[in-house]
Amino acid sequence: MEAILVSACLRGVPCRFDGQHKASAEIAEAVTGREVVSFCPEVAGGLATPRRPAELVGGDGNDVLDGTARVVEDTGRDVTAEFVDGARRALAVARHRGCTEALLMPRSPSCGRGAVYDGSFAGELVPGDGVTAALLERNGITVRPAPGV
């Protein structure tokens, strides 16, 4: 059975920044017939649940990985190291479990694919990927945003 890495919050784990999850029948259907590997990079990187909202500042996840952007909480606290550590752990788990694809939480500074919040905490989206999504893609794992979220 083919394995797929899935954001843990999409599988019903209450690990989002607000202590909630985003599980749905649509997500369950999207992974039917696959071995699901649930993972939360933010928790794996050492962040608590619940936690302060964080956004990408100065670019997207690729820029964070290149050292030219950072991840900052709405209080101004820099959590870049935790996000990068969580992304590396997600990649290690994906490789270990043989995942070639990932279904991740849209718009997240970790898991977003194609669009992320702009760092102003005003709900504005910009093109780009989260830190984990960028690292997975750089390493040949296809990342898809979760449908219907």
Side-chain angles (χ1 to χ4, degrees):
M1 182 179 296
E2 188 178 333
I4 183 170
L5 187 74
V6 179
S7 295
C9 63
L10 297 173
R11 297 294 293 165
V13 177
C15 58
R16 287 174 35 92
F17 77 95
D18 58 4
Q20 302 295 310
H21 67 79
K22 287 287 187 173
S24 70
E26 195 170 3
I27 301 299
E29 185 176 321
V31 297
T32 298
R34 315 264 312 259
E35 176 189 347
V36 175
V37 179
S38 297
F39 195 85
C40 178
E42 293 173 29
V43 171
L47 297 173
T49 303
R51 56 189 165 274
R52 301 299 311 173
E55 293 189 5
L56 298 158
V57 175
D60 77 343
N62 283 294
D63 300 310
V64 169
L65 294 172
D66 293 340
T68 60
R70 55 200 178 101
V71 187
V72 178
E73 292 179 340
D74 62 351
T75 61
R77 177 177 167 236
D78 188 312
V79 289
T80 303
E82 290 88 339
F83 274 72
V84 171
D85 183 49
R88 289 181 179 147
R89 291 171 185 265
L91 176 61
V93 166
R95 283 179 168 161
H96 177 74
R97 298 292 294 274
C99 300
T100 59
E101 188 176 8
L103 185 68
L104 302 181
M105 180 66 199
R107 303 172 299 279
S108 159
S110 287
C111 298
R113 177 75 170 117
V116 291
Y117 291 107
D118 70 355
S120 69
F121 296 92
E124 299 295 323
L125 293 171
V126 293
D129 297 330
V131 179
T132 298
L135 186 63
L136 293 175
E137 282 280 342
R138 284 183 176 194
N139 285 275
I141 296 172
T142 302
V143 177
R144 294 187 296 131
V149 180

